[in-house]
Amino acid sequence: MPNHSYKNASQHYRQAGVDIAAGEMLVAKIKRLSKQTNREGVISGIGGFAGLFDLAAAANYQAPVMLAATDGVGTKLKIAHAMHKHDTIGIDLVAMCVNDILAQGGEPIFFLDYLACGKLHVDTMYTIVQGIVQGCKEANAALIGGETAEMPGCYPQDQYDVAGFAIGLAERNNLLPKTNIKADDIIIGIASSGLHSNGYSVINKLIAEHRIKLNETLDGSTLGALLLKPTTIYVSALLPLIQQGLVTALAHITGGGITSNLPRVLPAHHCALIDKKGWPRPIIFDWLQKECALADEEMLSVYNCGIGMILITTTEHQAAVMHQLELAQLPAWLIGRVKQSKAKSPYVEYSEHR
């Protein structure tokens, strides 16, 4: 085969809208960046056909169970495009996956990403990966691989989508939710940083209808900045509580809000009694409710409303849990209790005590 064939193939690829050289440049930059996330157990770096990880070296588990989660960032990406700001999207991507691993009692150990775009803009993709690396460092998860797909014709040239994949380990005895959840167990709400990565379709509709502008000021920040606040990663604060046996259940409050996510961890014939006034709600949710004329019930069934993770524990462990959350500088509030119910399917019941 003539030794100029690769050059000709590259030219044909570029003519079709795919830049091999740009892809290789991005991989080289990511290789250096991903090393920042290395933890014990990492065997191979970025660039192979698969990422390698030695599970035996990762941690000392007596009866390990592997957990897997995958997610994306959804239409929050449209806000990032509109703001020309892509440095926090990667944090969101990691958070949505590792928080799900955590909610089952697991420790995230490694992460992979998938980036698809219409045209490979190296600087933009690198900025996204910088956010992924930051998120992995916060979660103590190694970035061991990924894929960047340039797909002209499938995406507009200035658009991209992201997906993430996390693997975790848990001690079998620490898996959540526990089977001993009972009436009068304590429900603790842990603060979100904002909308996290759910419910943006409504906001994008408002923007399309020109009812809101992202440069509007709200509580000293632009609306765009508030909407792009990255999702909180709860791993470092909550994993020790799980390992100490202080947690009965965790519910990651994502799409569906408290109303849909909390019942997922409750046993049959039990419900959660939640005080709607039991925590201070960030102003972005007040703005959103007013702008969209949404009832409280709809807000709580779509948005996290300021609670990104819910923790269930016993009255015996309440003080220890709250103390450790305070030390972790993670705002948390007692927002309710578990109670028995005649209905077989778990549900959430709201009250107002203030």
Side-chain angles (χ1 to χ4, degrees):
M1 180 179 293
N3 57 17
H4 64 273
S5 60
Y6 175 77
K7 179 180 177 182
N8 288 341
S10 296
Q11 288 175 344
H12 288 306
Y13 244 160
R14 280 198 300 272
Q15 290 170 1
V18 178
D19 192 337
I20 295 176
E24 291 175 342
M25 182 189 307
L26 178 62
V27 170
K29 296 179 73 173
I30 292 174
K31 280 183 180 180
R32 296 190 295 269
L33 193 60
S34 67
K35 290 180 180 178
Q36 299 176 21
T37 71
N38 281 358
R39 55 170 289 168
E40 190 174 4
V42 174
I43 295 175
S44 67
I46 302 292
F49 289 103
L52 305 180
F53 195 93
D54 183 358
L55 291 177
N60 184 25
Y61 286 87
Q62 300 301 313
V65 175
M66 185 177 289
L67 302 89
T70 182
D71 213 330
V73 180
T75 56
K76 188 173 186 175
L77 292 176
K78 292 178 69 68
I79 307 296
H81 285 301
M83 295 287 292
H84 305 289
K85 188 177 187 300
H86 307 281
D87 57 331
T88 59
I89 287 299
I91 302 173
D92 286 307
L93 184 64
V94 175
M96 295 303 289
C97 296
V98 299
N99 285 343
D100 278 350
I101 295 280
L102 181 71
Q104 298 279 172
E107 172 193 6
I109 55 173
F110 63 80
F111 187 84
L112 298 95
D113 63 76
Y114 176 80
L115 311 179
C117 58
K119 180 175 177 56
L120 184 57
H121 299 286
V122 173
D123 289 344
T124 299
M125 292 295 110
Y126 184 70
T127 299
I128 295 168
V129 176
Q130 284 181 308
I132 291 172
V133 166
Q134 183 178 337
C136 285
K137 290 165 72 174
E138 289 184 29
N140 193 27
L143 177 61
I144 65 168
E147 171 71 10
T148 303
E150 193 172 14
M151 302 168 64
C154 290
Y155 294 90
Q157 285 200 0
D158 61 343
Q159 298 292 308
Y160 64 84
D161 197 8
V162 296
F165 313 86
I167 296 295
L169 288 176
E171 198 68 71
R172 184 175 293 275
N173 289 337
N174 288 339
L175 287 172
L176 299 177
K178 301 287 190 182
T179 58
N180 60 345
I181 297 174
K182 62 185 184 304
D184 292 327
D185 277 353
I186 300 298
I187 300 176
I188 294 170
I190 304 172
S192 69
S193 56
L195 273 70
H196 284 183
S197 297
N198 300 101
Y200 280 82
S201 295
V202 171
I203 294 164
N204 286 313
K205 184 174 184 292
L206 294 177
I207 293 172
E209 294 172 350
H210 306 293
R211 289 173 54 189
I212 61 170
K213 294 182 179 179
L214 293 175
N215 59 2
E216 290 180 19
T217 301
L218 184 65
D219 197 34
S221 297
T222 65
L223 185 56
L226 290 174
L227 293 174
L228 280 183
K229 275 191 174 183
T231 305
T232 302
I233 293 175
Y234 297 98
V235 174
S236 63
L238 298 187
L239 188 60
L241 296 176
I242 295 170
Q243 294 170 339
Q244 294 169 43
L246 300 178
V247 180
T248 309
L250 288 176
H252 186 198
I253 309 304
T254 55
I258 295 174
T259 303
S260 294
N261 287 292
L262 184 50
R264 296 167 67 179
V265 303
L266 296 175
H269 299 294
H270 286 77
C271 73
L273 180 61
I274 299 295
D275 177 10
K276 290 194 296 184
K277 304 296 183 181
W279 68 94
R281 195 167 72 164
I283 194 169
I284 187 68
F285 295 102
D286 295 332
W287 168 85
L288 184 60
Q289 183 169 14
K290 181 179 179 181
E291 192 68 35
C292 299
L294 299 176
D296 286 351
E297 291 72 18
E298 189 168 1
M299 287 292 296
L300 289 162
S301 65
V302 175
Y303 297 97
N304 70 61
C305 293
I307 300 295
M309 187 76 78
I310 283 180
L311 184 154
I312 300 178
T313 189
T314 63
T315 53
E316 174 189 1
H317 293 145
Q318 177 185 350
V321 168
M322 294 299 286
H323 177 66
Q324 292 198 41
L325 291 174
E326 183 178 359
L327 291 178
Q329 298 183 322
L330 197 55
W333 307 272
L334 173 61
I335 64 170
R337 292 180 181 271
V338 176
K339 72 173 192 176
Q340 286 187 320
S341 165
K342 293 181 179 179
K344 181 177 180 180
S345 298
Y347 62 94
V348 176
E349 181 178 313
Y350 294 102
S351 66
E352 294 189 24
H353 293 310
R354 293 186 186 177

